[in-house]
Amino acid sequence: MEIDELDRQVTHALRISGRAGFREIGAVLGVSDQTVARRYRRLRDEAGLRVVGLPNPIELGYEMWMLRLRATPDAALAIATALARRPDTGWVSITSGGTEIACNVRVPASADREALLLQKLPRTPRLVAVSAHCVIHHYVGGAVGPDRRDVALSAGQIEALTPQWSADPQSTAHLTDADTPLIEALSRDGRLSYTDLAAATGWPESTVRRRVQELFSSGSLYTDVEMEPELYGFRATVLLWLSVAPSRVATVGRALADHEEIVFAAATTGPTNLQVIAVCQDMPAYYRYVTERLGMLDGVERIESAPVLKHVKQMGAVN
């Protein structure tokens, strides 16, 4: 599949407003709603594009933990798949020659961390090592900041597509246990119509419409876009663990948030203190990024990295 400029514009539009209608997107892009619909279906079917609706762990006060698990080569995929099915995991990836699994887990701050983080791990002797690192500050990624690789739309187009509810600081709606069926439905398809969401939740359509708007307005829910980065020209996804001088962590983190190669950056506990995900066109481009930009940041003392071999889960629920 070849991705052209209109495909990139549609993808960028969905990153800005994942629930925007085809007519609204088409009006901003200057094409018909039928054209947008055809491109969306093609991207969904052939490029793995999926809009997902997700709870905002920062707004909810959840702790986020980054797990690194080492397994025997014959067990890594099965363990990663089991982790991907858990509703509390965000992304799950296999790295390091197929023997290491990296994932993030969202944990309520008042929960039993040991029970949720360690006792729920797959019980197998082929899981040989586990380390867990708590995220203590987000700089970019998920609900924090834009994806700086998105350059297909102009500033005016971005403004036109930005949903009105994203600028409503007065909304105070928060997620409750009663919202579980709504969250489950949106985590599989963030573009489900209100009619489909009503069928999934058993609520009246008017209730669904009001609740969705409340939760997005308050920041309790947000949308994001999954896709196959290779098809968009990005063939090198790399996890990095940085050791940074403590007095420079915040400065380095803020600098990383402005690098277009970085899609996630957070300060963490553990032997390293910044975890980063870089997405580059290829490994030579990654080399140039590390040697010419990342390595030049004052305070970066050591870099450990592992290329991602397979995304088992990106963000949304795994069917």
Coordinates of all heavy atoms in Angstrom, one line a residue, residues 127-204:
L127 N 9.4 -17.0 31.9 CA 9.5 -15.6 32.2 C 10.6 -15.5 33.2 O 10.5 -15.8 34.4 CB 8.2 -15.0 32.8 CG 8.2 -13.5 33.2 CD1 8.5 -12.7 32.0 CD2 6.9 -13.2 33.8
V128 N 11.8 -15.0 32.8 CA 13.0 -15.1 33.6 C 13.4 -13.9 34.4 O 14.2 -13.9 35.3 CB 14.2 -15.6 32.8 CG1 13.9 -17.0 32.2 CG2 14.5 -14.6 31.7
A129 N 12.9 -12.7 34.0 CA 13.2 -11.5 34.7 C 12.2 -10.4 34.5 O 11.6 -10.3 33.4 CB 14.6 -10.9 34.3
V130 N 11.9 -9.6 35.6 CA 10.9 -8.5 35.5 C 11.5 -7.3 36.2 O 12.1 -7.4 37.3 CB 9.6 -8.9 36.2 CG1 8.6 -7.8 36.1 CG2 9.0 -10.2 35.5
S131 N 11.3 -6.1 35.6 CA 11.6 -4.9 36.3 C 10.5 -3.9 36.1 O 9.8 -4.0 35.0 CB 12.9 -4.3 35.9 OG 12.9 -3.9 34.5
A132 N 10.1 -3.1 37.1 CA 9.0 -2.2 37.0 C 9.5 -0.8 37.4 O 10.2 -0.6 38.4 CB 7.9 -2.7 37.9
H133 N 9.1 0.2 36.6 CA 9.5 1.6 36.8 C 8.3 2.5 36.8 O 7.5 2.5 35.8 CB 10.5 2.0 35.7 CG 11.6 1.0 35.5 ND1 12.8 1.0 36.2 CD2 11.7 -0.1 34.6 CE1 13.5 0.0 35.8 NE2 12.9 -0.7 34.9
C134 N 8.1 3.2 37.8 CA 6.9 4.1 37.9 C 7.2 5.4 37.2 O 8.2 6.0 37.3 CB 6.6 4.4 39.4 SG 5.1 5.4 39.6
V135 N 6.2 5.8 36.4 CA 6.3 7.1 35.7 C 6.0 8.2 36.7 O 4.9 8.2 37.3 CB 5.3 7.2 34.5 CG1 5.3 8.6 33.9 CG2 5.8 6.2 33.4
I136 N 6.9 9.2 36.8 CA 6.7 10.2 37.8 C 6.4 11.6 37.1 O 6.0 12.5 37.8 CB 7.8 10.3 38.8 CG1 9.2 10.5 38.0 CG2 7.9 9.1 39.7 CD1 10.4 10.6 38.9
H137 N 6.6 11.7 35.8 CA 6.3 12.9 35.1 C 6.2 12.6 33.6 O 7.1 12.0 33.1 CB 7.3 14.0 35.4 CG 6.8 15.3 34.8 ND1 5.9 16.1 35.4 CD2 7.2 16.0 33.7 CE1 5.7 17.2 34.7 NE2 6.4 17.2 33.6
H138 N 5.2 13.1 32.9 CA 5.0 12.9 31.5 C 5.5 14.2 30.8 O 5.2 15.3 31.2 CB 3.6 12.7 31.1 CG 3.1 11.3 31.3 ND1 2.6 10.9 32.5 CD2 2.9 10.3 30.4 CE1 2.2 9.6 32.4 NE2 2.4 9.3 31.1
Y139 N 6.3 14.1 29.7 CA 6.7 15.2 28.9 C 5.9 15.2 27.6 O 5.5 16.3 27.1 CB 8.2 15.2 28.7 CG 8.9 15.4 29.9 CD1 9.6 14.3 30.6 CD2 9.0 16.6 30.6 CE1 10.3 14.4 31.7 CE2 9.7 16.8 31.8 CZ 10.3 15.7 32.3 OH 11.0 15.8 33.5
V140 N 5.7 14.1 27.0 CA 5.0 14.0 25.7 C 4.5 12.5 25.5 O 5.2 11.6 26.0 CB 5.9 14.5 24.5 CG1 7.0 13.5 24.2 CG2 5.0 14.7 23.2
G141 N 3.4 12.4 24.8 CA 2.9 11.1 24.5 C 1.5 10.8 25.1 O 1.2 11.3 26.2
G142 N 0.7 10.0 24.4 CA -0.7 9.8 24.8 C -1.5 11.0 24.9 O -1.6 11.7 23.9
A143 N -2.0 11.4 26.0 CA -2.9 12.6 26.2 C -2.1 13.8 26.3 O -2.6 14.9 26.5 CB -3.8 12.4 27.4
V144 N -0.7 13.7 26.3 CA 0.1 14.9 26.6 C 0.8 15.3 25.3 O 1.7 14.6 24.8 CB 1.2 14.6 27.6 CG1 2.1 15.8 27.9 CG2 0.5 14.1 28.9
G145 N 0.5 16.5 24.7 CA 1.2 17.0 23.6 C 0.9 16.4 22.3 O 0.4 15.3 22.2
P146 N 1.2 17.1 21.2 CA 0.9 16.6 19.8 C 2.0 15.6 19.3 O 3.1 15.6 19.9 CB 1.0 17.9 19.0 CG 2.0 18.7 19.7 CD 1.8 18.4 21.2
D147 N 1.7 14.9 18.3 CA 2.7 14.1 17.6 C 3.3 15.0 16.6 O 2.7 15.5 15.6 CB 2.1 12.9 16.9 CG 3.1 12.0 16.3 OD1 4.2 12.4 15.9 OD2 2.8 10.8 16.2
R148 N 4.6 15.4 16.8 CA 5.3 16.4 15.9 C 5.6 15.9 14.5 O 6.1 16.6 13.7 CB 6.5 16.9 16.6 CG 6.1 17.7 17.9 CD 7.3 18.4 18.5 NE 6.8 19.1 19.7 CZ 6.2 20.3 19.8 NH1 5.9 20.9 18.7 NH2 5.9 20.8 21.0
R149 N 5.4 14.6 14.3 CA 5.5 14.1 12.9 C 4.3 14.5 12.0 O 4.4 14.4 10.8 CB 5.7 12.6 12.9 CG 6.9 12.1 13.6 CD 6.9 10.6 13.7 NE 5.7 10.2 14.5 CZ 5.1 9.0 14.5 NH1 5.6 8.0 13.7 NH2 4.1 8.7 15.3
D150 N 3.2 14.9 12.6 CA 2.1 15.3 11.9 C 2.3 16.7 11.3 O 2.2 17.7 12.0 CB 0.8 15.3 12.8 CG 0.4 13.9 13.1 OD1 0.6 13.0 12.3 OD2 -0.2 13.7 14.2
V151 N 2.5 16.8 10.0 CA 2.8 18.1 9.4 C 1.9 18.2 8.1 O 2.2 19.1 7.3 CB 4.3 18.2 9.0 CG1 5.1 18.3 10.3 CG2 4.8 17.1 8.1
A152 N 0.9 17.4 7.9 CA 0.1 17.4 6.7 C -0.9 18.5 6.6 O -1.3 18.9 5.5 CB -0.6 16.0 6.5
L153 N -1.3 19.1 7.8 CA -2.3 20.1 7.8 C -1.7 21.4 8.2 O -0.7 21.5 8.9 CB -3.4 19.8 8.8 CG -4.2 18.4 8.5 CD1 -5.2 18.3 9.6 CD2 -4.7 18.4 7.1
S154 N -2.3 22.5 7.7 CA -1.9 23.9 8.0 C -2.4 24.2 9.4 O -3.3 23.6 10.0 CB -2.4 24.9 7.0 OG -3.8 24.9 7.1
A155 N -1.9 25.3 10.0 CA -2.4 25.8 11.3 C -3.8 26.1 11.2 O -4.6 25.8 12.2 CB -1.5 27.0 11.7
G156 N -4.3 26.7 10.1 CA -5.7 27.0 10.0 C -6.6 25.8 9.9 O -7.7 25.7 10.5
Q157 N -6.1 24.7 9.3 CA -6.9 23.5 9.2 C -6.9 22.8 10.6 O -7.9 22.3 11.0 CB -6.2 22.5 8.2 CG -6.4 23.0 6.7 CD -5.7 22.1 5.7 OE1 -4.5 21.8 6.0 NE2 -6.3 21.8 4.6
I158 N -5.8 22.9 11.3 CA -5.8 22.3 12.6 C -6.8 23.0 13.5 O -7.5 22.4 14.3 CB -4.3 22.4 13.2 CG1 -3.4 21.4 12.4 CG2 -4.3 22.0 14.7 CD1 -1.9 21.6 12.8
E159 N -6.8 24.3 13.5 CA -7.7 25.1 14.3 C -9.2 24.7 13.9 O -10.0 24.6 14.8 CB -7.5 26.6 14.1 CG -8.4 27.5 15.0 CD -8.1 28.9 14.8 OE1 -7.2 29.3 14.0 OE2 -8.7 29.8 15.4
A160 N -9.5 24.6 12.6 CA -10.8 24.3 12.2 C -11.3 22.9 12.7 O -12.5 22.7 12.9 CB -10.9 24.4 10.7
L161 N -10.4 22.0 12.8 CA -10.7 20.6 13.2 C -10.7 20.4 14.7 O -11.3 19.4 15.2 CB -9.8 19.6 12.5 CG -10.0 19.4 11.1 CD1 -8.9 18.6 10.4 CD2 -11.3 18.5 10.9
T162 N -10.0 21.3 15.5 CA -9.9 21.1 16.9 C -11.3 21.1 17.5 O -12.1 22.1 17.4 CB -9.1 22.2 17.5 OG1 -7.8 22.1 17.0 CG2 -9.0 22.0 19.0
P163 N -11.7 20.0 18.2 CA -13.1 20.0 18.8 C -13.3 21.1 19.8 O -12.4 21.4 20.6 CB -13.2 18.6 19.3 CG -11.8 18.1 19.5 CD -11.0 18.8 18.5
Q164 N -14.5 21.6 19.9 CA -14.8 22.7 20.8 C -14.6 22.2 22.3 O -14.2 22.9 23.1 CB -16.2 23.3 20.6 CG -16.3 24.0 19.3 CD -17.7 24.6 19.1 OE1 -18.6 24.4 19.9 NE2 -17.9 25.4 18.1
W165 N -15.0 20.9 22.5 CA -14.9 20.4 23.9 C -13.5 20.4 24.4 O -13.3 20.3 25.6 CB -15.6 19.1 24.0 CG -15.0 17.9 23.2 CD1 -13.7 17.6 23.2 CD2 -15.7 17.0 22.5 NE1 -13.6 16.5 22.4 CE2 -14.8 16.1 22.0 CE3 -17.1 16.8 22.2 CZ2 -15.1 15.0 21.2 CZ3 -17.4 15.7 21.4 CH2 -16.5 14.8 20.9
S166 N -12.5 20.4 23.5 CA -11.1 20.3 24.0 C -10.7 21.6 24.7 O -9.7 21.6 25.4 CB -10.1 20.0 22.9 OG -10.1 21.1 22.0
A167 N -11.5 22.6 24.6 CA -11.1 23.9 25.2 C -12.1 24.3 26.3 O -12.3 25.5 26.6 CB -11.0 25.0 24.1
D168 N -12.8 23.3 26.9 CA -13.8 23.6 27.9 C -13.2 23.2 29.3 O -13.4 22.1 29.8 CB -15.0 22.9 27.6 CG -16.1 23.2 28.6 OD1 -15.9 24.1 29.5 OD2 -17.2 22.5 28.6
P169 N -12.6 24.2 30.0 CA -12.0 23.9 31.3 C -13.1 23.8 32.4 O -12.8 23.4 33.5 CB -11.1 25.0 31.6 CG -11.7 26.2 30.8 CD -12.3 25.6 29.6
Q170 N -14.3 24.2 32.1 CA -15.4 24.2 33.1 C -16.0 22.8 33.3 O -16.7 22.6 34.3 CB -16.5 25.2 32.7 CG -16.0 26.6 32.4 CD -15.3 27.2 33.6 OE1 -15.7 27.1 34.7 NE2 -14.1 27.8 33.4
S171 N -15.8 21.9 32.4 CA -16.4 20.6 32.6 C -15.8 19.8 33.7 O -14.5 19.8 33.8 CB -16.3 19.8 31.3 OG -16.9 18.5 31.4
T172 N -16.6 19.2 34.5 CA -16.1 18.5 35.7 C -16.5 17.0 35.7 O -16.4 16.4 36.8 CB -16.6 19.2 37.0 OG1 -18.0 19.2 37.0 CG2 -16.1 20.6 37.1
A173 N -16.9 16.5 34.6 CA -17.3 15.1 34.5 C -16.1 14.2 34.7 O -15.0 14.5 34.2 CB -18.0 14.8 33.2
H174 N -16.4 13.1 35.5 CA -15.3 12.1 35.7 C -15.8 10.7 35.4 O -17.0 10.5 35.5 CB -14.8 12.2 37.2 CG -14.2 13.5 37.5 ND1 -12.9 13.9 37.1 CD2 -14.7 14.6 38.3 CE1 -12.7 15.1 37.5 NE2 -13.7 15.5 38.3
L175 N -14.9 9.9 35.1 CA -15.3 8.5 34.8 C -15.7 7.8 36.1 O -15.2 8.0 37.1 CB -14.2 7.7 34.1 CG -13.8 8.1 32.7 CD1 -12.4 7.6 32.3 CD2 -14.9 7.6 31.8
T176 N -16.7 6.9 36.0 CA -17.2 6.1 37.1 C -17.3 4.6 36.6 O -17.1 4.4 35.4 CB -18.6 6.5 37.6 OG1 -19.6 6.2 36.6 CG2 -18.6 8.0 37.9
D177 N -17.5 3.7 37.5 CA -17.7 2.3 37.1 C -18.8 2.1 36.1 O -18.7 1.2 35.3 CB -17.9 1.5 38.4 CG -16.7 1.4 39.3 OD1 -15.6 1.7 38.8 OD2 -16.8 1.0 40.4
A178 N -19.8 3.0 36.2 CA -20.9 2.8 35.2 C -20.5 3.1 33.8 O -21.2 2.7 32.9 CB -22.1 3.8 35.7
D179 N -19.4 3.8 33.6 CA -18.9 4.1 32.2 C -18.2 3.0 31.6 O -17.7 3.1 30.5 CB -18.0 5.3 32.3 CG -18.8 6.6 32.7 OD1 -19.8 6.8 32.1 OD2 -18.3 7.3 33.6
T180 N -18.0 1.8 32.3 CA -17.1 0.8 31.8 C -17.6 0.3 30.4 O -16.7 0.1 29.5 CB -17.1 -0.4 32.8 OG1 -16.5 0.0 34.0 CG2 -16.3 -1.6 32.3
P181 N -18.9 0.0 30.2 CA -19.2 -0.5 28.8 C -19.0 0.6 27.8 O -18.6 0.2 26.6 CB -20.7 -0.8 28.9 CG -21.2 -0.1 30.2 CD -20.0 0.0 31.1
L182 N -19.1 1.8 28.1 CA -18.8 2.9 27.1 C -17.3 2.9 26.8 O -16.9 3.0 25.6 CB -19.2 4.2 27.7 CG -18.9 5.5 26.8 CD1 -19.7 5.4 25.5 CD2 -19.2 6.7 27.6
I183 N -16.4 2.8 27.8 CA -15.0 2.8 27.6 C -14.6 1.6 26.8 O -13.7 1.7 25.9 CB -14.3 2.8 29.0 CG1 -14.6 4.1 29.7 CG2 -12.8 2.7 28.8 CD1 -14.1 4.1 31.1
E184 N -15.1 0.4 27.1 CA -14.8 -0.8 26.4 C -15.1 -0.7 24.9 O -14.4 -1.1 24.0 CB -15.5 -2.0 27.0 CG -15.0 -2.4 28.4 CD -15.8 -3.6 29.0 OE1 -16.8 -3.9 28.4 OE2 -15.3 -4.1 30.0
A185 N -16.3 -0.1 24.6 CA -16.7 0.1 23.2 C -15.8 1.0 22.5 O -15.3 0.8 21.4 CB -18.1 0.5 23.1
L186 N -15.5 2.2 23.1 CA -14.6 3.2 22.5 C -13.2 2.7 22.3 O -12.5 3.1 21.4 CB -14.7 4.5 23.3 CG -16.0 5.3 23.2 CD1 -16.0 6.4 24.2 CD2 -16.2 5.8 21.8
S187 N -12.7 1.8 23.2 CA -11.3 1.3 23.1 C -11.2 0.4 21.9 O -10.0 0.2 21.5 CB -10.9 0.6 24.4 OG -11.6 -0.6 24.6
R188 N -12.2 -0.1 21.4 CA -12.2 -0.9 20.2 C -12.4 -0.1 18.9 O -11.8 -0.4 17.9 CB -13.2 -2.1 20.3 CG -12.8 -3.1 21.3 CD -13.8 -4.3 21.4 NE -13.3 -5.4 22.2 CZ -13.2 -5.4 23.5 NH1 -13.7 -4.4 24.2 NH2 -12.6 -6.5 24.1
D189 N -13.2 0.9 19.0 CA -13.5 1.8 17.9 C -13.9 3.1 18.4 O -15.1 3.3 18.8 CB -14.5 1.2 17.0 CG -14.7 2.0 15.7 OD1 -14.2 3.1 15.6 OD2 -15.5 1.5 14.8
G190 N -13.0 4.1 18.4 CA -13.3 5.4 18.9 C -14.3 6.2 18.0 O -14.7 7.3 18.4
R191 N -14.6 5.7 16.8 CA -15.5 6.4 15.9 C -16.9 5.8 15.9 O -17.7 6.1 15.0 CB -14.9 6.4 14.5 CG -13.7 7.3 14.4 CD -13.2 7.4 13.0 NE -14.2 7.9 12.1 CZ -14.5 9.2 11.9 NH1 -13.9 10.1 12.7 NH2 -15.4 9.6 11.1
L192 N -17.2 4.9 16.8 CA -18.6 4.3 16.8 C -19.6 5.4 16.9 O -19.4 6.4 17.7 CB -18.7 3.4 18.0 CG -18.1 2.0 17.9 CD1 -18.2 1.2 19.2 CD2 -18.6 1.2 16.7
S193 N -20.7 5.3 16.2 CA -21.7 6.3 16.2 C -22.4 6.2 17.5 O -22.3 5.3 18.3 CB -22.7 6.0 15.1 OG -23.4 4.8 15.3
Y194 N -23.2 7.3 17.8 CA -24.0 7.3 19.1 C -25.0 6.1 19.1 O -25.3 5.6 20.1 CB -24.7 8.6 19.3 CG -23.7 9.8 19.5 CD1 -23.6 10.8 18.6 CD2 -22.9 9.8 20.6 CE1 -22.7 11.9 18.9 CE2 -22.0 10.8 20.9 CZ -21.9 11.8 20.0 OH -21.0 12.9 20.2
T195 N -25.5 5.8 17.9 CA -26.5 4.7 17.8 C -25.8 3.4 18.2 O -26.3 2.6 19.0 CB -27.0 4.6 16.4 OG1 -27.7 5.8 16.1 CG2 -28.0 3.4 16.3
D196 N -24.5 3.2 17.7 CA -23.8 1.9 18.0 C -23.4 1.9 19.5 O -23.4 0.9 20.1 CB -22.6 1.8 17.1 CG -22.9 1.5 15.7 OD1 -24.0 1.0 15.4 OD2 -22.1 1.9 14.8
L197 N -23.0 3.1 20.0 CA -22.6 3.1 21.4 C -23.8 2.9 22.3 O -23.7 2.2 23.4 CB -22.0 4.5 21.7 CG -20.6 4.8 21.2 CD1 -20.2 6.2 21.4 CD2 -19.6 3.8 21.8
A198 N -25.0 3.3 21.9 CA -26.2 3.0 22.7 C -26.5 1.5 22.7 O -26.9 1.0 23.7 CB -27.4 3.8 22.1
A199 N -26.3 0.9 21.6 CA -26.5 -0.6 21.5 C -25.5 -1.3 22.4 O -25.8 -2.3 23.0 CB -26.4 -1.1 20.1
A200 N -24.2 -0.8 22.4 CA -23.1 -1.4 23.2 C -23.3 -1.3 24.7 O -23.0 -2.1 25.5 CB -21.8 -0.9 22.8
T201 N -23.9 -0.1 25.1 CA -24.0 0.2 26.5 C -25.4 -0.1 27.1 O -25.5 -0.3 28.3 CB -23.8 1.7 26.8 OG1 -24.7 2.5 26.0 CG2 -22.3 2.1 26.3
G202 N -26.4 -0.2 26.2 CA -27.8 -0.4 26.7 C -28.4 0.9 27.2 O -29.5 0.9 27.8
W203 N -27.7 2.0 26.9 CA -28.3 3.3 27.3 C -29.1 4.0 26.2 O -28.9 3.7 25.0 CB -27.1 4.3 27.7 CG -26.2 3.8 28.7 CD1 -26.3 2.8 29.5 CD2 -24.9 4.4 29.0 NE1 -25.2 2.6 30.4 CE2 -24.3 3.6 30.1 CE3 -24.2 5.5 28.5 CZ2 -23.1 3.9 30.6 CZ3 -23.0 5.8 29.1 CH2 -22.4 5.0 30.1
P204 N -30.0 4.9 26.5 CA -30.6 5.7 25.5 C -29.6 6.5 24.7 O -28.6 6.9 25.3 CB -31.6 6.6 26.2 CG -31.8 5.9 27.6 CD -30.5 5.2 27.9

